[in-house]
Amino acid sequence: MKKKEEWILVFDSGLGGISVLRELVHVLPEERFLYFGDSKNAPYGDRSTEEVREFTANCIAAFIPRGIKAVVVACNTATAAAIECLRARYPGKIIIGMEPALKLAAERHPGGRILVMATHVTLREQKFCALMDRFSSTCRVVPLPCPGLVEYIEAGCLDTPEVRDYLQNLLSPTLATGVDAIVLGCTHFPFLKPLIQELAGPHVEILDGASGTALQTRRRLEAENLLRSGTQGTVELHNSLNTPEILETSAYLLEASR
Ligand code: DGL
């Protein structure tokens, strides 16, 4: 007998997708979520497109037998590299991807200067180039790769002198020339939002795609009559490292304030 498809799988290269999971739980409190972070292979952001595709496809395939009604690729990097392949492999399944929230930033800051922090893979893939082209006449987009930043979050460092120095060095040249908004185009970065806001100052708006992704997931489930209701939902946290430490950090990040 075919297993009942009642889970929503939320996938990321590591712990970053938990910033999306917490929005999903907020918007869909009655759903059952399986979270998988591939921290063993993180970061994905400096890898080849083929590697990101392969890791993503393998991780998701491993969970399909659990009975998955929707997959949320809570990773801008995996979305940029692999979303088309996933949709081709699982036609008919709800597969939600993410992209840097540039549309939202352009709407809120017409004519503004918008800094997009993301991984090398996200910024070099066709998906982002097309997005940037779409908004280049309405705002000035400054893409900023952040190699090494994901590793701090994977280690649970959300405000240490090292991450502070890293961000200060990375951001100050662009901030000095004026920025209206910062788009966090990697799902790891919202965990650093308080620190980035402090460095950028209160006049700079910081945006990410978590809430939009959660609302989109709800719309898709609703449209296909797949919403679960009546009882409290659940969350299972899994990670390819499978150590008590990584599972503890995952639980800590899920509870971290939004
Ligand atoms: N969290 C991921 C993203 O949204 C990628 C981090 C990485 O593995 O480099 O892009």
Side-chain angles (χ1 to χ4, degrees):
M1 204 178 84
K2 196 169 174 274
K3 196 156 201 149
K4 199 164 172 242
E5 295 185 336
E6 55 178 2
W7 292 91
I8 299 174
L9 174 64
V10 183
F11 167 75
D12 179 48
S13 63
L15 304 179
I18 296 172
S19 66
V20 183
L21 176 64
R22 58 189 183 179
E23 281 297 326
L24 284 160
V25 171
H26 178 68
V27 166
L28 295 161
E30 292 167 323
E31 293 295 337
R32 308 185 75 189
F33 294 98
L34 282 170
Y35 181 84
F36 185 73
D38 189 14
S39 295
K40 198 164 142 189
N41 294 309
Y44 280 12
D46 300 313
R47 291 182 179 276
S48 71
T49 304
E50 291 66 35
E51 273 181 307
V52 176
R53 267 187 202 147
E54 195 185 325
F55 287 138
T56 303
N58 290 345
C59 292
I60 289 172
F63 279 91
I64 293 295
R66 289 278 311 253
I68 305 294
K69 64 180 176 181
V71 178
V72 178
V73 181
C75 178
N76 294 264
T77 306
T79 300
I83 201 81
E84 309 302 343
C85 304
L86 293 172
R87 290 191 175 129
R89 183 161 173 182
Y90 303 107
K93 200 169 287 299
I94 297 176
I95 299 185
I96 311 275
M98 297 198 70
E99 64 183 11
L102 190 52
K103 180 172 182 281
L104 179 63
E107 279 164 9
R108 294 178 61 86
H109 300 274
R113 192 154 182 262
I114 304 191
L115 183 64
V116 181
M117 297 172 68
T119 67
H120 274 303
V121 172
T122 300
L123 297 177
R124 77 165 183 239
E125 286 294 322
Q126 176 51 29
K127 221 170 174 305
F128 181 73
C129 299
L131 188 69
M132 205 164 120
D133 274 359
R134 224 171 105 203
F135 294 102
S136 59
S137 58
T138 47
C139 58
R140 283 168 299 155
V141 184
V142 183
L144 183 67
C146 311
L149 190 51
V150 163
E151 285 90 325
Y152 286 111
I153 298 116
E154 285 292 307
C157 304
L158 306 188
D159 190 355
T160 59
E162 292 76 21
V163 72
R164 223 167 232 276
D165 277 358
Y166 175 101
L167 283 169
Q168 183 102 51
N169 291 333
L170 181 81
L171 295 174
S172 34
T174 320
L175 290 175
T177 50
V179 162
D180 298 290
I182 298 179
V183 171
L184 305 178
C186 167
T187 54
H188 280 72
F189 301 166
F191 293 115
L192 300 173
K193 187 174 172 181
L195 185 51
I196 296 171
Q197 187 78 71
E198 187 193 318
L199 296 172
H203 55 284
V204 177
E205 188 176 28
I206 301 183
L207 300 159
D208 67 67
S211 165
T213 302
L215 293 172
Q216 166 74 350
T217 306
R218 187 170 68 189
R219 275 194 296 271
R220 290 290 305 278
L221 289 168
E222 211 162 27
E224 300 202 20
N225 215 4
L226 288 174
L227 280 175
R228 182 175 188 267
S229 62
T231 42
Q232 181 65 32
T234 51
V235 176
E236 272 185 29
L237 297 169
H238 299 267
N239 193 287
S240 53
L241 282 180
N242 208 18
T243 59
E245 293 76 24
I246 202 86
L247 295 172
E248 234 165 70
T249 310
S250 304
Y252 163 74
L253 290 176
L254 184 58
E255 293 311 315
S257 61
R258 274 182 296 134

